[in-house]
């Protein structure tokens, strides 16, 4: 399997790249900063310099040629303002979807966030509110494309090691989950086309990852 990951230098992306490479798949990471290329190579991934904020659909589609799936794991990150929440967390996700459609890559995994289902509460920090709105808009626009999309909404992210046990469903109670477990879940979702069309929330829990994924597709 050849998987192209937007936000290839992010923490979740690097973990997913290692997981893919470790089992003999091909991981390609899209990065803005060429200085990050060596880190991706060390993770077993092929780095491709492509700034999704300043690229066009044909350029991005060219980087997706031959891919079996794409994963949007990019984000404007801490310290960015409200404007970049829209240009990265929403617009870049949509650009990747349009490029995937043009390149003939149907499978698309979108890393979103818990908390997007309801509008931000009054008094919410402006940047955080912009982030939640951008993620929700990205979900709406990407799932509206003619692609095989799965949306994953992790809870509060931690850098703990992988527990291998989770709660995964259309709705779960808020909680935390390690980035390592998010990467493992993304890998399991890539392997299961029956998750196409699902929007799933994810936190740490008691169910092994494979069993949790099978359970949500059996309903």
């Amino acid at each position: 399997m050849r998987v192209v990951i937007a936000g290839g230098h992010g923490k979740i992306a690097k973990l997913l790249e290692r997981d893919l490479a470790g089992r003999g798949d091909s991981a390609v990471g899209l990065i803005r900063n060429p200085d990050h290329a060596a880190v991706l190579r060390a993770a077993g991934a092929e780095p491709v310099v492509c700034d999704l904020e300043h690229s066009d659909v044909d350029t991005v589609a060219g980087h997706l040629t031959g891919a079996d799936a794409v994963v949007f794991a990019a984000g404007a990150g801490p310290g960015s303002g409200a404007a970049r929440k829209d240009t990265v967390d929403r617009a870049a996700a949509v650009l990747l979807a349009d490029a995937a459609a043009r390149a003939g890559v149907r499978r698309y995994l979108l890393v979103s966030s818990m908390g997007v289902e309801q509008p931000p509460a009054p008094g919410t920090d402006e940047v955080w509110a912009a982030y939640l709105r951008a993620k929700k808009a990205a979900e709406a626009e990407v799932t509206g494309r003619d692609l095989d999309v799965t949306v994953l909404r992790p809870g509060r992210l931690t850098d703990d090691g992988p527990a291998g046990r989770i709660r995964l469903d259309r709705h779960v109670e808020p909680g935390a989950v390690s980035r390592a477990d998010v990467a493992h879940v993304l890998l399991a979702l890539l392997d299961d086309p029956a998750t196409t069309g699902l929007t799933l929330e994810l936190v740490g829990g008691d169910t092994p990852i494979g069993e949790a994924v099978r359970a949500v597709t059996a309903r």
Side-chain angles (χ1 to χ4, degrees):
M1 184 187 304
R2 182 176 177 84
V3 181
V4 179
I5 304 167
H9 188 255
K11 291 182 178 181
I12 291 172
K14 286 184 289 186
L15 291 162
L16 178 57
E17 288 156 5
R18 289 187 185 279
D19 287 347
L20 287 163
R23 68 179 200 176
D25 289 323
S26 176
V28 179
L30 303 182
I31 55 176
R32 287 190 306 122
N33 188 344
D35 292 342
H36 294 158
V39 176
L40 266 68
R41 292 191 187 97
E46 173 190 342
V48 172
V49 178
C50 177
D51 184 351
L52 292 175
E53 284 184 279
H54 301 98
S55 291
D56 59 68
V57 65
D58 288 326
T59 299
V60 180
H63 296 313
L64 306 184
T65 301
D68 299 291
V70 297
V71 178
F72 187 83
S80 59
R84 291 199 68 228
K85 301 306 183 188
D86 183 71
T87 58
V88 178
D89 292 278
R90 182 198 62 80
V94 175
L95 174 62
L96 185 68
D98 290 339
R102 185 157 301 185
V105 182
R106 293 201 56 83
R107 193 72 172 104
Y108 187 119
L109 268 59
L110 174 64
V111 181
S112 185
S113 173
M114 287 185 69
V116 304
E117 195 64 41
Q118 301 298 326
T124 301
D125 173 77
E126 177 187 352
V127 175
W128 180 247
Y131 169 79
L132 293 175
R133 286 193 293 266
K135 284 296 189 185
K136 181 59 176 174
E139 289 186 9
E141 293 191 56
V142 169
T143 57
R145 300 301 196 269
D146 182 21
L147 296 170
D148 298 332
V149 180
T150 303
V151 177
L152 183 65
R153 296 173 173 171
R156 180 174 57 82
L157 297 169
T158 76
D159 289 322
D160 296 338
R165 292 179 177 270
I166 59 168
R167 279 185 289 156
L168 181 74
D169 211 329
R170 288 158 180 81
H171 296 287
V172 300
E173 290 298 313
V177 63
S178 72
R179 289 178 173 87
D181 281 329
V182 175
H184 292 340
V185 170
L186 288 169
L187 194 65
L189 295 174
L190 284 168
D191 287 341
D192 193 341
T195 60
T196 293
L198 298 181
T199 295
L200 301 169
E201 297 183 344
L202 168 67
V203 296
D206 299 320
T207 306
I209 289 172
E211 182 180 330
V213 171
R214 289 191 294 274
V216 298
T217 62
R219 296 170 190 161

